[in-house]
Amino acid sequence: MKFIHDYLKHDERLYRHTLPTPLDNPKLVSLNAQLIDQLGLSSLDATAWTDIISGRLSPLTQIAPHKIQPIAMAYAGHQFGQWAGQLGDGRGVLIAQLHNKKTGKLIDLHLKGAGLTSYSRRGDGRAMLASCIREYLGGHALNGLMIASSDAIGLVVSDTHIQRRHIEKAAALLRVSDCHVRLGHFEWVAMYAADYFETFVIKIIQSYYLHLYDTHQNTANISQLLHEIAANTARMIAKWQLIGFCHGVMNTDNLNITGTTLDFGPFAFMEGFNPTWINNHSDHTGRYVYQNQPTIGHWNLAVVYHHFKRLVNQDDIDDALMTYQEVFENTYHHGLCQKLGIKPSHQAIQLGYRLLMLMQNERLDYTNTFRALIAVADHGENRTQFTHEYTLLANLTNILSATSYDIWQNWVNDYLDCLKQQSTKQTAIKTLQQTNPIYILRNHMAERAIVSAHQGDFDEVARLFALLDNPYQQQTIATVDDTRMAFANEAVAVSCLT
């Protein structure tokens, strides 16, 4: 890794140099040692990281003098379908970027809760402990599920007080992502620095899609950029759907250009399967519910790609948007078949949709139902090996109504017939184990960790972080609550969603 600050090559209208405002008496809540090692930053100890995350950047400046230049980025966006104008980093700063010499990719170090910036508007630039813990665990959970997501080096809590529903201690999080350039960046440049739009696009290609830039001809394939952003976004959202992840606030300023999950606000992992469940209490119309996420991804791209008409023709834009639809459908259908442990086919896809319909009608637990298919596929042969899965299957069948039980039995018979035709039992079970997790970050799990943290006990944060590191295998540190649906989605406490 090499420290750089690639974003500083852009026009100064796009950012403001902004020093973090340090927190008072910071205390380390958790540190991601594995990520620190991957970044080649293990020379910094816990004390140094506490300083850095709390806004005192001197340990980093000693490692990379002149490369640590914190900036707040300007961007715009459509929020809940409406043009919101200029937004920007209101409580965060991009403190540095790393360059991976092997992959050629950039890695951003972004401090959340850093204090006031030029884009804070009416905010105080600070972050709550609850939101920092949820983002820390949420990003880690998605990475454990093999879904591209921001991660975090760690988080701190402090004696700096902030006013929310009541007065509480401010916290901060050091986020790591391959990209903090959002779809809303294109919107901001198009609206407020139009003369720079083409140059901005070319420089973005050089930073994040270098294979689309011909250094000999000094030309950039902007049309292909639109295709690749669309494809990466489609894959990300398809994987969200397959795992039951609800982002909650898919504004254009909350989606980046590399297809990496960013901005954990009121997110949730689906428990009882309800595609129209509103997990964001600010989403009064249900715009961002689970079943709408694929359509919203397409809508966001369409509204942003409109600005590219000055660089490419409408056919190129239409083709890129068609790429989104094709990639999403292919990724989702292939993944749905994998969650059933069978090869992709029309029959397999229809089996998947039939199961989802039953799950929706009975509000069955999304994660546990798919994991229970291991017991269905095993068909009674290895009960001792799959004790957890047989327990899930028993729980599932016990709560079905008489009518739904008959539907379930018919589905099981068709499913077992399909398995016999397409693959061996061992192959099917292996695929089921690899694609259907045991553990997700359920809201009640995150809430328990938050309550303990407010009391000065961070052990539950550490336990969940370890649990979510390998969600596909049973772990001795797990509790019964880690795999049960604690309450109906409609009754989720508001405190879980902030």
Side-chain angles (χ1 to χ4, degrees):
M1 297 290 183
K2 177 184 178 182
F3 273 99
I4 62 172
H5 210 319
D6 181 77
Y7 201 77
L8 294 179
K9 71 185 181 185
H10 289 293
D11 191 299
E12 291 185 356
R13 288 175 289 176
L14 275 68
Y15 57 85
R16 294 289 184 271
H17 288 279
T18 307
L19 287 174
T21 305
L23 295 168
D24 299 323
N25 192 26
K27 183 175 182 180
L28 188 65
V29 175
S30 185
L31 204 59
N32 189 341
Q34 183 178 4
L35 178 59
I36 291 170
D37 186 60
Q38 290 173 357
L39 296 175
L41 299 175
S42 54
S43 61
L44 297 170
D45 61 15
T47 300
W49 283 116
T50 302
D51 282 343
I52 294 165
I53 300 170
S54 65
R56 298 168 178 84
L57 303 181
S58 55
L60 277 179
T61 60
Q62 293 170 19
I63 294 176
H66 313 301
K67 299 297 182 182
I68 309 302
Q69 299 184 53
I71 60 170
M73 305 166 77
Y75 48 84
H78 278 77
Q79 298 188 329
F80 295 94
Q82 303 298 317
W83 172 243
Q86 176 169 291
L87 301 168
D89 287 331
R91 58 175 175 173
V93 292
L94 181 64
I95 62 175
Q97 292 178 289
L98 293 166
H99 182 256
N100 188 320
K101 295 179 181 178
K102 292 183 179 180
T103 65
K105 291 185 177 181
L106 293 170
I107 299 171
D108 293 350
L109 302 183
H110 191 273
L111 188 59
K112 178 179 178 179
L116 289 171
T117 77
S118 300
Y119 311 109
S120 294
R121 294 181 289 175
R122 294 184 298 274
D124 59 13
R126 294 303 189 188
M128 298 165 57
L129 179 59
S131 63
C132 286
I133 288 175
R134 283 176 54 79
E135 178 161 352
Y136 183 66
L137 294 175
H140 186 61
L142 285 184
N143 279 299
L145 294 164
M146 304 302 180
I147 300 175
S149 172
S150 64
D151 212 333
I153 284 177
L155 69 149
V156 303
V157 66
S158 74
D159 287 341
T160 299
H161 290 95
I162 55 175
Q163 179 70 54
R164 293 297 185 265
R165 292 191 183 90
H166 49 78
I167 295 175
E168 60 179 274
K169 294 181 176 182
L173 176 90
L174 184 54
R175 183 163 63 190
V176 176
S177 177
D178 68 345
C179 181
H180 279 82
V181 176
R182 306 146 190 273
L183 296 179
H185 277 80
F186 291 125
E187 294 184 282
W188 190 94
V189 177
M191 296 300 292
Y192 303 114
D195 59 297
Y196 185 67
F197 188 79
E198 182 173 8
T199 302
F200 177 73
V201 172
I202 292 172
K203 287 186 176 182
I204 287 299
I205 288 175
Q206 292 171 333
S207 295
Y208 299 100
Y209 290 90
L210 185 57
H211 60 284
L212 301 181
Y213 184 75
D214 187 332
T215 55
H216 299 293
Q217 299 293 327
N218 194 29
T219 57
N221 192 335
I222 296 173
S223 175
Q224 187 60 27
L225 172 70
L226 302 185
H227 281 265
E228 297 201 16
I229 291 175
N232 288 335
T233 303
R235 291 188 193 97
M236 175 185 69
I237 296 175
K239 291 178 180 180
W240 288 356
Q241 301 300 102
L242 290 165
I243 213 68
F245 176 77
C246 305
H247 186 278
V249 59
M250 289 176 61
N251 299 326
T252 57
D253 56 291
N254 289 337
L255 296 184
N256 76 3
I257 64 168
T258 59
T260 300
T261 310
L262 196 67
D263 283 344
F264 289 82
F267 75 90
F269 288 87
M270 187 79 71
E271 295 191 52
F273 187 54
N274 177 6
T276 61
W277 169 50
I278 300 175
N279 70 291
N280 177 357
H281 66 275
S282 299
D283 187 5
H284 304 296
T285 64
R287 176 180 176 83
Y288 294 139
V289 297
Y290 169 85
Q291 71 175 13
N292 289 351
Q293 290 183 145
T295 303
I296 293 297
H298 185 275
W299 189 93
N300 285 347
L301 290 171
V303 76
V304 172
Y305 283 6
H306 170 78
H307 295 293
F308 283 79
K309 287 183 177 180
R310 66 195 74 183
L311 303 179
V312 299
N313 60 49
Q314 185 63 48
D315 288 343
D316 291 327
I317 293 173
D318 292 342
D319 288 347
L321 294 174
M322 184 61 69
T323 292
Y324 173 89
Q325 295 175 309
E326 293 171 350
V327 171
F328 174 84
E329 183 174 319
N330 291 337
T331 304
Y332 181 78
H333 284 161
H334 183 267
L336 183 60
C337 294
Q338 284 190 311
K339 289 181 75 66
L340 299 179
I342 49 185
K343 297 176 183 177
S345 69
H346 178 73
Q347 179 187 17
I349 293 169
Q350 293 308 307
L351 274 172
Y353 282 126
R354 284 171 56 193
L355 178 60
L356 290 171
M357 183 63 69
L358 176 62
M359 290 165 60
Q360 178 179 351
N361 291 339
E362 293 289 326
R363 292 293 192 266
L364 298 179
D365 187 277
Y366 185 88
T367 300
N368 289 344
T369 300
F370 276 107
R371 187 72 188 191
L373 295 183
I374 293 173
V376 176
D378 184 63
H379 206 45
E381 291 189 10
N382 298 287
R383 289 182 178 272
T384 55
Q385 182 181 352
F386 302 119
T387 303
H388 174 71
E389 287 74 19
Y390 275 98
T391 300
L392 295 178
L393 180 59
N395 292 339
L396 185 160
T397 54
N398 285 339
I399 65 175
L400 292 175
S401 64
T403 301
S404 292
Y405 185 80
D406 290 338
I407 295 173
W408 166 254
Q409 287 298 329
N410 289 333
W411 184 89
V412 167
N413 291 336
D414 292 343
Y415 175 60
L416 292 175
D417 286 342
C418 188
L419 282 180
K420 291 177 183 178
Q421 297 170 16
Q422 291 202 13
S423 62
T424 65
K425 179 184 295 186
Q426 292 76 16
T427 300
I429 289 177
K430 183 177 180 181
T431 303
L432 288 167
Q433 289 175 311
Q434 292 173 340
T435 54
N436 297 307
I438 301 173
Y439 311 108
I440 56 169
L441 182 61
R442 297 173 184 270
N443 273 325
H444 66 275
M445 295 161 65
E447 183 68 3
R448 187 170 59 238
I450 290 166
V451 170
S452 295
H454 276 300
Q455 297 170 352
D457 181 358
F458 308 133
D459 288 348
E460 186 63 6
V461 174
R463 188 188 72 84
L464 290 181
F465 191 84
L467 183 75
L468 298 168
D469 195 51
N470 191 356
Y472 294 96
Q473 294 183 5
Q474 283 187 267
Q475 299 182 42
T476 57
I477 61 172
T479 70
V480 174
D481 282 348
D482 294 332
T483 55
R484 72 179 181 89
M485 186 172 68
F487 36 63
N489 282 332
E490 291 82 354
V492 170
V494 170
S495 57
C496 292
L497 303 178
T498 54

